[in-house]
Amino acid sequence: MHKNKDGIYIYNEDAYLGIKKACEIASKTLDMIGQFIEPGVTTEQLDKTCHDFILAHNSVPATLGYRGYPKSCCISLNHVVCHGIPSKKKLKNGDILNIDVTCILDGWYGDTSRMFTVGDIGLKSKRLIEITHNALILAIKNVAPGKTFGDLGAEIQEYVEGNKMSVVRDFCGHGIGSEFHQAPNVLHYGAYHSGPKLESGMCFTIEPMVNTGRPETKILNDNWTAVTRDKSLSAQFEHTVFVKKEGCEVLTRSHNNTFFPEGAKLRRDSV
Ligand code: MF3
Ligand code: CO
Ligand code: CO
């Protein structure tokens, strides 16, 4: 593997296979956790279940101890945008939550997150989750050599704002592979034709955070939890993608399609 002129890693076949395996454990963790989501369960219990599953697959949760982060996944409820710390808080009917898992296997990293729902959620929550997932899929469909990172951000922003919701600016996707966070910053907003060009062999995450209200966030006193300033609802989906000669491969696909919110109008996509 080597870095291109923009400082972005171009991975070889061996690296691709390593990253793919790490990604598979991460997506299988999310496939597995769905069945445990119900009113009364604490986010700490969900974290423990994810932690044990990751270890049982000879993998290590990348977030545990990362810059002092104390848990094996991030669980972000309702108006929490990202980096929610699993706690004694109990899930209740109507909650929406994102679970974000990053696995390390043989030194390779895989990163993915999905939304989950508790009991009956409101129409607004359902729409938010649909729009956020669509935005990610739209961006993924644009991943191919010759496109720019700006193209991806612009697609997401145009679609989300066209649906009267907002894109969070304070957090972004990232290169990934031999480390957790690498160049480039993958922005979920921006201008077409701007930013570095995509090349075959690149690996990065796309992880748009979408709010029903304004895009601004603030960090709580725990120095991690990011929430919407206006307390509006927030949703996020994240995939790790690998750029191929034509298009890309989504390395963090669901293996059982359990993630899409029940009753959502859109078809259950295979990614
Ligand atoms: N998994 C997150 C991402 O998508 C990063 C979490 S870092 C943590 O990049 F320290 F908050 F866990
Ligand atoms: Co990420
Ligand atoms: Co993540």
Side-chain angles (χ1 to χ4, degrees):
M1 72 202 206
H2 67 278
K3 280 186 185 173
N4 78 354
K5 66 169 174 47
D6 297 308
I8 302 170
Y9 278 110
I10 307 298
Y11 289 108
N12 61 22
E13 184 71 13
D14 281 351
Y16 159 78
L17 291 170
I19 299 167
K20 189 179 165 95
K21 278 193 197 144
C23 284
E24 269 169 16
I25 299 171
S27 59
K28 282 180 177 165
T29 307
L30 296 181
D31 288 342
M32 174 280 303
I33 202 66
Q35 64 190 304
F36 296 103
I37 291 175
E38 56 181 28
V41 74
T42 69
T43 53
E44 211 166 59
Q45 286 170 322
L46 297 174
D47 176 75
K48 171 87 165 70
T49 305
C50 288
H51 175 92
D52 292 347
F53 184 90
I54 293 166
L55 260 54
H57 287 75
N58 302 313
S59 176
V60 173
T63 57
L64 188 59
Y66 176 77
R67 300 189 178 189
Y69 186 82
K71 295 287 181 182
S72 297
C73 63
C74 298
I75 303 186
S76 303
L77 269 173
N78 300 324
H79 75 297
V80 178
V81 173
C82 63
H83 302 167
I85 303 175
S87 69
K88 303 261 184 281
K89 197 180 176 80
K90 287 184 172 142
L91 298 184
K92 59 177 194 319
N93 187 50
D95 282 344
I96 62 170
L97 59 150
N98 173 281
I99 304 186
D100 190 338
V101 170
T102 310
C103 292
I104 316 174
L105 186 72
D106 299 333
W108 301 109
Y109 288 73
D111 188 5
T112 184
S113 81
R114 293 179 204 157
M115 294 303 293
F116 296 90
T117 61
V118 187
D120 307 314
I121 60 165
L123 247 183
K124 200 175 184 177
S125 305
K126 205 173 273 184
R127 224 184 121 245
L128 170 67
I129 293 172
E130 283 185 13
I131 300 290
T132 309
H133 189 254
N134 286 349
L136 171 59
I137 299 307
L138 198 60
I140 289 172
K141 287 186 172 152
N142 276 278
V143 175
K147 291 272 191 170
T148 71
F149 281 96
D151 291 337
L152 308 183
E155 282 285 351
I156 292 171
Q157 182 177 15
E158 204 173 279
Y159 175 74
V160 168
E161 291 178 357
N163 282 285
K164 301 275 173 280
M165 295 187 182
S166 68
V167 175
V168 170
R169 314 287 203 271
D170 301 337
F171 302 92
C172 57
H174 48 91
I176 187 167
S178 54
E179 294 158 281
F180 197 165
H181 294 109
Q182 301 178 320
N185 285 335
V186 180
L187 306 183
H188 305 111
Y189 61 95
Y192 288 103
H193 310 303
S194 71
K197 268 206 169 139
L198 277 65
E199 278 177 53
S200 169
M202 285 182 179
C203 188
F204 55 88
T205 73
I206 310 176
E207 47 182 302
M209 285 140 276
V210 174
N211 301 344
T212 55
R214 293 194 50 82
E216 291 81 10
T217 70
K218 68 172 182 192
I219 309 279
L220 300 186
N221 285 336
D222 61 18
N223 286 325
W224 281 106
T225 312
V227 299
T228 55
R229 276 195 178 265
D230 64 4
K231 304 256 171 54
S232 66
L233 286 174
S234 190
Q236 178 178 31
F237 284 90
E238 172 175 28
H239 273 308
T240 297
V241 301
F242 196 95
V243 185
K244 298 286 188 101
K245 291 236 157 49
E246 281 173 32
C248 73
E249 182 177 341
V250 179
L251 299 182
T252 43
R253 270 167 192 280
S254 170
H255 294 260
N256 64 1
N257 279 345
T258 52
F259 66 96
F260 211 70
E262 211 52 56
K265 272 200 281 328
L266 295 172
R267 83 191 161 85
R268 291 170 184 239
D269 215 310
S270 55
V271 288

